[in-house]
Amino acid sequence: MLRRERRIELAFEGTRLWDILRWEIGDEVLNGDFWGAPFPDSERYPTTSIKLDPQSRWYVTTKNFRPGVDDQWPIPESETNINPNLAE
């Protein structure tokens, strides 16, 4: 319930990815097809979208989240130059 509330209240604030990584739910929510906005009256939809959706949403991409890889980011080189103890 708290996660849903936070997702709604902070929509378009740029915190969703960080919440997903913190809660370690990337493998649940960042897999599969991603779709754009629906345009039900578009005449070009059937010929331009790579995959078709019953709700007439344009196909954007397919994501495959890799636990242990996509949830870790490298330490910037500028930071390791300042403090060599940060090296992995």
Side-chain angles (χ1 to χ4, degrees), residues 13-74:
E13 296 289 331
T15 60
R16 178 74 175 146
L17 177 62
W18 305 115
D19 286 345
I20 290 170
L21 295 177
R22 180 174 58 248
W23 296 328
E24 298 179 355
I25 58 171
D27 55 336
E28 299 169 22
V29 298
L30 295 178
N31 279 325
D33 294 338
F34 284 70
W35 299 89
F39 293 96
D41 298 328
S42 173
E43 296 174 4
R44 295 179 49 202
Y45 172 73
T47 59
T48 56
S49 185
I50 295 172
K51 293 183 180 180
L52 299 180
D53 178 57
Q55 299 173 358
S56 300
R57 299 176 299 175
W58 256 270
Y59 170 77
V60 177
T61 189
T62 299
K63 297 283 185 182
N64 292 314
F65 186 83
R66 302 166 299 173
V69 176
D70 294 332
D71 52 0
Q72 298 179 9
W73 290 18

